[in-house]
Amino acid sequence: MSTLASLRLLRKPWNASKGNQSNATVGASSGWCQGLDIPNELFLVLGLVSLVENLLVVAAILKNRNLHSPTYYFICCLAVSDMLVSISNLAEMLLMLLLEHGVLVMHPSIIRHMDSVIDMLICSSVMSSLSFPGVIAVDRYITIFYALRYHSIMTLQRAVVTMVSIWLASTVSSTVLITYYSSNTILLCIIGFFLFMLVLMLVLYIHMFTLARHHLHSISSQQKPPTTHRGGSLKGAITLTILLGVFFICWGPFFFHLILIVTCPTNPFCICFFSYFNLFLI
């Protein structure tokens, strides 16, 4: 079974002939190209930790009425998306372990159907996990630049429509991804979506950070004697760097993987990179 139907090709690039693929694999089979063997138990532990963490976020937002606003609903949806990824991976990993140890015996056709269902759930959760950080950035942007009109722009009804639309779009896109996972066009669309979200967040947060610095400068210039707020600017820059840096570090290797699949599926270097799939999955 695969971890993602769209990533079956990560271990075995689909658009390479068997001869070229085997030659490339032989040429890349020495040294660090052997890949990294990560025990299944580690995946289970990380899945459980992620599940508990996101459950705490969801519980905190649902329990505290002060957090019942569009902003925190978007954050709740992001936590649910990550939680579904954890649940799907846990279910698939447990199923794999039970089948490997002979505890569970199932007909191959049933296994394939279960695999497709789990993969679809993972893919839709991943797409929504990419979408909601962008929505949260847009929401924060409206809060800062349209503060007086925020409640009329981001109403509860519009927030619900946005959340439902993202979940529906994620489900449809995951269905297409599962069906046509071997198509370069599909992979390019996924890569483009990731880059779009990254650029969107980068532009919006940098604009918000620039406005914050301008306000601090205006306040300091009106004070007598003028004071500087380097600490606040530095704190904002660090927060911005951490926010975008963590997003890129967590998703970057995964999408770089997809880029290499499209551009150089038989290159020895790319074959070596493919062998570290489990590390990037973690």
Side-chain angles (χ1 to χ4, degrees), residues 233-255:
S233 298
L234 180 61
K235 183 179 179 181
I238 292 175
T239 302
L240 179 63
T241 302
I242 292 175
L243 178 67
L244 296 177
V246 169
F247 180 83
F248 181 77
I249 290 173
C250 289
W251 285 109
F254 173 83
F255 284 93

Side-chain angles (χ1 to χ4, degrees), residues 62 64 69 72 77 128 141 144 165-167 194 215 254 270:
L62 294 180
N64 192 339
S69 64
Y72 288 101
C77 284
S128 59
Y141 186 87
I144 292 177
S165 299
I166 289 177
W167 283 111
F194 166 72
H215 283 177
F254 173 83
C270 298

Side-chain angles (χ1 to χ4, degrees), residues 3-281:
T3 304
L4 283 174
S6 60
L7 298 181
R8 290 167 183 156
L9 43 90
L10 288 179
R11 298 184 180 91
K12 191 175 183 180
W14 77 96
N15 53 354
S17 63
K18 293 183 178 179
N20 292 336
Q21 193 178 88
S22 60
N23 292 335
T25 305
V26 171
S29 60
S30 59
W32 64 276
C33 295
Q34 293 293 335
L36 188 64
D37 185 23
I38 299 176
N40 292 330
E41 290 76 13
L42 180 58
F43 283 101
L44 288 174
V45 172
L46 290 176
L48 287 172
V49 171
S50 176
L51 177 61
V52 172
E53 287 177 341
N54 287 291
L55 273 175
L56 290 175
V57 174
V58 173
I61 293 175
L62 294 180
K63 186 176 181 180
N64 192 339
R65 292 188 176 182
N66 294 327
L67 303 182
H68 290 183
S69 64
T71 298
Y72 288 101
Y73 288 150
F74 293 144
I75 295 175
C76 184
C77 284
L78 177 60
V80 171
S81 300
D82 295 337
M83 188 169 62
L84 289 177
V85 175
S86 302
I87 293 174
S88 303
N89 277 293
L90 282 172
E92 188 172 49
M93 189 61 64
L94 286 173
L95 186 60
M96 289 172 60
L97 290 175
L98 292 175
L99 290 172
E100 288 176 0
H101 291 82
V103 178
L104 185 64
V105 178
M106 300 176 65
H107 193 274
S109 61
I110 298 178
I111 296 177
R112 285 194 298 270
H113 287 306
M114 292 185 64
D115 186 31
S116 297
V117 171
I118 294 176
D119 286 338
M120 189 174 296
L121 181 58
I122 295 175
C123 289
S124 61
S125 303
V126 166
M127 295 303 292
S128 59
S129 292
L130 283 174
S131 301
F132 281 112
V135 173
I136 293 170
V138 172
D139 178 77
R140 294 294 83 205
Y141 186 87
I142 296 173
T143 302
I144 292 177
F145 286 91
Y146 303 94
L148 298 179
R149 297 172 51 201
Y150 173 79
H151 293 291
S152 61
I153 296 175
M154 188 57 69
T155 62
L156 182 59
Q157 182 179 5
R158 288 177 179 172
V160 171
V161 170
T162 301
M163 290 183 287
V164 172
S165 299
I166 289 177
W167 283 111
L168 286 177
S170 299
T171 303
V172 172
S173 61
S174 66
T175 304
V176 175
L177 180 60
I178 294 297
T179 306
Y180 302 102
Y181 70 90
S182 60
S183 171
N184 274 358
T185 304
I186 295 297
L187 292 183
L188 288 174
C189 290
I190 299 173
I191 295 169
F193 181 69
F194 166 72
L195 294 177
F196 170 76
M197 282 299 170
L198 183 62
V199 172
L200 176 67
M201 294 172 61
L202 188 64
V203 170
L204 292 182
Y205 281 119
I206 288 179
H207 195 188
M208 286 185 276
F209 173 67
T210 303
L211 177 66
R213 284 197 61 186
H214 177 72
H215 283 177
L216 286 174
H217 179 73
S218 299
I219 294 173
S220 62
S221 63
Q222 294 174 6
Q223 294 177 346
K224 297 181 179 181
T227 58
T228 59
H229 294 269
R230 294 181 180 177
S233 298
L234 180 61
K235 183 179 179 181
I238 292 175
T239 302
L240 179 63
T241 302
I242 292 175
L243 178 67
L244 296 177
V246 169
F247 180 83
F248 181 77
I249 290 173
C250 289
W251 285 109
F254 173 83
F255 284 93
F256 186 57
H257 230 132
L258 298 184
I259 292 173
L260 293 184
I261 288 171
V262 174
T263 57
C264 59
T266 59
N267 184 279
F269 169 78
C270 298
I271 296 294
C272 288
F273 197 85
F274 295 153
S275 64
Y276 286 86
F277 167 70
N278 283 335
L279 176 63
F280 303 134
L281 181 61

